[in-house]
Amino acid sequence: MTDSKTLSKPRNNRFFSINRLANPKFFFQFTTKLQPWINGFALFFIVIGIIWGLFISPADWQQGDSVRIMYIHVPMAMLASAGYILLAFCGFSSLVWKHPLADLAAKEIGPVGAIVTALCLITGSIWGKPMWGTWWVWDARLTSVLILFFLYLGHITLCHAFDEPQKGYKAASILALAGVFDLPIIKFSVQWWNTLHQPNTFSLTHASSITLSIATPLIFCSLGFSLGFIGILFTRIRTAILENQIHRLLINSQSLSMQ
């Protein structure tokens, strides 16, 4: 016969509580242990994916070798949207649940998301030049991704726009939630409008339009860059936690010296 205390024991286990991740101390300790694994797998997938994609996978029958920019562009495009979803979730958590780590995480996600979105736009322009004959067109997909880039920049600006940090975090959270409207436009723009941009590379409702020899290294690159994105975020958030602790210690030492 199973004791009732035994049944309730897993609920008290710290690893079964998602809310504990909102605790800066637990987050710091947990991600510090996880970081080497994330970095190792990220490097493994990126190296294999890039070498496979650039030197082993065949050229596209229509786009030739220019298609190889896809191994960077597609992961950056996916991470640009995924990063903003995470940014909006942190904003929601800050406004509704007042999670202590939400504002700090959102502040660190913004710059990484902006860089990823910029790389998406740059690699897309490099890919588009031989395909479209121009570096840029005001295509629905390209324009909506450019708006996403500006949303990231706006979030970064608001986080630093006020002398009182909490006011900046609140304004940035509201912007992050308001900007979510751009994500479905990015996702479905190629279906809603007649655009130059090619259809989505991966789809949950339709079969992939690319061959397995090209899709496989692309999956490796996507996994690698995604893990790298997570690893960078973990490092930045841990650094921000340490900076906050040092800042509090300095304030406390100054207040003690004035007494």
Side-chain angles (χ1 to χ4, degrees):
M1 182 174 181
T2 306
D3 189 85
S4 59
K5 293 182 179 180
T6 305
L7 290 174
S8 62
K9 186 176 180 180
R11 296 181 183 180
N12 297 324
N13 190 310
R14 62 181 181 177
F15 292 105
F16 281 80
S17 177
I18 298 177
N19 288 331
R20 288 188 65 88
L21 285 175
N23 182 288
K25 182 179 180 181
F26 177 78
F27 180 89
F28 190 95
Q29 295 173 345
F30 179 74
T31 57
T32 298
K33 295 177 181 179
L34 204 59
Q35 189 81 52
W37 294 95
I38 293 176
N39 293 346
F41 279 111
L43 184 62
F44 172 78
F45 283 118
I46 289 174
V47 169
I48 291 181
I50 291 296
I51 293 176
W52 192 344
L54 294 183
F55 303 106
I56 301 175
S57 68
D60 183 72
W61 70 274
Q62 187 176 21
Q63 301 182 34
D65 286 325
S66 64
V67 77
R68 299 186 192 280
I69 195 70
M70 171 180 64
Y71 298 111
I72 298 177
H73 174 72
V74 171
M76 294 302 109
M78 294 169 57
L79 289 172
S81 294
Y84 197 86
I85 292 173
L86 186 59
L87 188 71
F89 177 76
C90 289
F92 181 82
S93 300
S94 172
L95 293 173
V96 177
W97 297 313
K98 309 297 182 183
H99 277 189
L101 199 62
D103 290 328
L104 203 62
K107 183 181 177 182
E108 301 305 320
I109 292 169
V112 182
I115 292 173
V116 166
T117 308
L119 288 173
C120 171
L121 291 168
I122 292 170
T123 53
S125 296
I126 296 173
W127 193 0
K129 176 61 176 176
M131 295 297 101
W132 304 336
T134 181
W135 295 100
W136 180 267
V137 291
W138 291 103
D139 180 270
R141 171 64 65 84
L142 275 68
T143 304
S144 55
V145 173
L146 180 62
I147 292 173
L148 182 66
F149 177 67
F150 288 139
L151 286 169
Y152 273 119
L153 294 183
H155 187 277
I156 296 170
T157 302
L158 287 175
C159 284
H160 299 86
F162 298 88
D163 294 332
E164 187 177 341
Q166 288 303 320
K167 291 183 178 179
Y169 295 152
K170 183 176 181 180
S173 297
I174 294 172
L175 175 65
L177 291 175
V180 170
F181 78 92
D182 190 43
L183 298 181
I185 297 176
I186 294 173
K187 173 64 177 176
F188 299 107
S189 57
V190 293
Q191 283 88 27
W192 291 347
W193 294 286
N194 184 20
T195 68
L196 287 175
H197 197 282
Q198 68 185 50
N200 295 326
T201 304
F202 295 117
S203 175
L204 296 176
T205 57
H206 299 87
S208 177
S209 59
I210 58 178
T211 63
L212 187 62
S213 59
I214 295 178
T216 304
L218 181 56
I219 292 173
F220 270 77
C221 287
S222 298
L223 287 172
F225 283 118
S226 296
L227 290 172
F229 183 85
I230 294 171
I232 292 172
L233 289 184
F234 281 174
T235 301
R236 289 181 62 91
I237 295 172
R238 285 203 311 275
T239 302
I241 291 172
L242 289 176
E243 289 176 349
N244 277 3
Q245 291 179 345
I246 293 172
H247 181 68
R248 290 173 184 172
L249 289 173
L250 290 174
I251 293 176
N252 291 336
S253 63
Q254 289 175 359
S255 62
L256 290 174
S257 62
M258 293 175 63
Q259 293 178 357

